[in-house]
């Protein structure tokens, strides 16, 4: 029995999910996207989530692993119905992609590798930079480049949603010259082990519960002074179309 391997795995499991992620704070932060030890050919992990099926909780879609998703199948049927409202509803409930990359935060290297989650706009910009031969692999351990992430709140920008800007540093630098930091880079969680994938049957049950709220949920809604007509309106009219995409794809 490899006791060192067991201790390492125990340490990984004891790490809280909260500590596994990095979220940009207002202002500018310098980070380094590092190679992903669980997929050395690609540091980016594309995962799909349902954001509106369970209150205050995201649900991982099996599409993340190339498996059927009953919610997506139901959404496809709604969009193919020819009814505008049902198409909007189908668009609303289909899973949205979010991409994750392992990073270390400059000045906080002792906290180890964390996952930075971002939307389509930032993802496309990062891919465009890496595809540019003048930049190349910015995650290279020796000749990579740091990234400055600027997070602008909605209040600061005057927009409806926050905005994230990125700027890749021109100088090529190693991840670190400190052995301790490099050792921490080798210790990474598997992003697909952090989120729990529901079975097809369980996700079907989640969908059914969302379509047919039970009595207990109805009582909670009454307590919150939300009328049945307001709930119906919220489910039939998309106020999460372009706005939703802007929020989760930046």
């Amino acid at each position: 029995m490899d006791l060192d391997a067991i201790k390492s795995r125990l340490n990984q499991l004891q790490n809280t999910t909260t500590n596994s992620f990095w979220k940009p704070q207002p202002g500018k932060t310098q980070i380094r996207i590092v190679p992903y030890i669980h997929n050395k050919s690609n540091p980016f992990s594309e995962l799909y989530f349902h954001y509106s099926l369970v209150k205050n909780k995201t649900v991982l879609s099996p599409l993340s692993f190339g498996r059927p998703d009953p919610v997506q199948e139901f959404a496809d049927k709604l969009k193919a119905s020819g009814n505008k409202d049902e198409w909007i509803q189908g668009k609303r409930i289909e899973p949205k992609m979010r991409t994750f990359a392992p990073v270390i935060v400059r000045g906080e290297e002792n906290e180890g590798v964390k996952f930075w989650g971002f939307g389509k706009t930032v993802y496309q910009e990062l891919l465009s930079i890496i595809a540019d031969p003048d930049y190349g692999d910015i995650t290279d351990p020796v000749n990579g480049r740091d990234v400055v992430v600027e997070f602008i709140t909605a209040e600061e920008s005057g927009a409806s949603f926050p905005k994230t800007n990125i700027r890749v540093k021109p100088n090529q630098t190693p991840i670190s010259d400190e052995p301790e930091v490099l050792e921490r880079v080798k210790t990474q969680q598997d992003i697909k082990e952090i989120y729990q994938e529901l079975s097809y049957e369980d996700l079907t049950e989640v969908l059914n519960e969302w379509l047919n709220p039970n009595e207990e949920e109805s009582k909670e809604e009454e307590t919150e002074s939300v009328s049945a007509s307001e709930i119906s309106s919220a489910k039939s009219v998309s106020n999460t179309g372009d706005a939703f995409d802007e929020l989760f794809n930046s």
Side-chain angles (χ1 to χ4, degrees), residues 103-231:
V103 303
I104 56 172
V105 181
R106 293 307 187 194
E108 302 175 6
E109 288 91 345
N110 63 317
E111 295 186 15
V113 175
K114 299 184 178 184
F115 287 105
W116 172 31
F118 42 83
K120 181 179 178 180
T121 302
V122 170
Y123 188 29
Q124 286 182 323
E125 188 170 356
L126 285 170
L127 291 180
S128 296
I129 292 170
I130 294 173
D132 186 336
D134 289 337
Y135 287 94
D137 185 5
I138 62 175
T139 73
D140 186 272
V142 178
N143 298 312
R145 305 170 195 260
D146 284 7
V147 179
V148 176
V149 179
E150 181 181 19
F151 183 76
I152 305 172
T153 64
E155 292 76 11
E156 292 174 326
S157 66
S160 301
F161 300 97
K163 184 177 181 181
T164 301
N165 296 325
I166 62 170
R167 181 173 65 86
V168 177
K169 302 285 284 184
N171 294 336
Q172 293 177 293
T173 60
I175 292 176
S176 178
D177 294 325
E178 300 180 17
E180 295 83 0
V181 174
L182 295 176
E183 197 61 34
R184 290 191 181 95
V185 171
K186 297 177 183 178
T187 304
Q188 300 179 20
Q189 289 183 280
D190 186 341
I191 185 69
K192 293 180 178 179
E193 290 184 357
I194 295 176
Y195 290 104
Q196 181 181 6
E197 178 190 7
L198 297 180
S199 68
Y200 188 94
E201 292 73 19
D202 288 341
L203 193 50
T204 299
E205 184 176 342
V206 170
L207 174 62
N208 289 333
E209 290 178 355
W210 183 79
L211 291 171
N212 305 288
N214 58 34
E215 294 181 2
E216 183 176 346
E217 289 175 338
S218 297
K219 290 179 181 178
E220 290 179 1
E221 289 164 358
E222 291 175 3
T223 303
E224 295 171 358
S225 301
V226 179
S227 68
S229 61
E230 288 174 324
I231 295 174

Side-chain angles (χ1 to χ4, degrees), residues 45-50 59-69 95-98 192 195 197:
S45 299
E46 300 175 3
L47 300 181
Y48 290 82
F49 295 92
H50 295 288
V59 178
L60 181 65
S61 168
L63 291 180
S64 303
F65 311 100
R67 290 188 273 273
D69 180 341
K96 305 296 186 292
M97 186 181 81
R98 193 152 186 84
K192 293 180 178 179
Y195 290 104
E197 178 190 7

Side-chain angles (χ1 to χ4, degrees), residues 41-57:
S41 65
N42 187 356
F44 302 111
S45 299
E46 300 175 3
L47 300 181
Y48 290 82
F49 295 92
H50 295 288
Y51 291 96
S52 59
L53 293 180
V54 181
K55 186 176 181 180
N56 298 325
K57 184 179 180 181

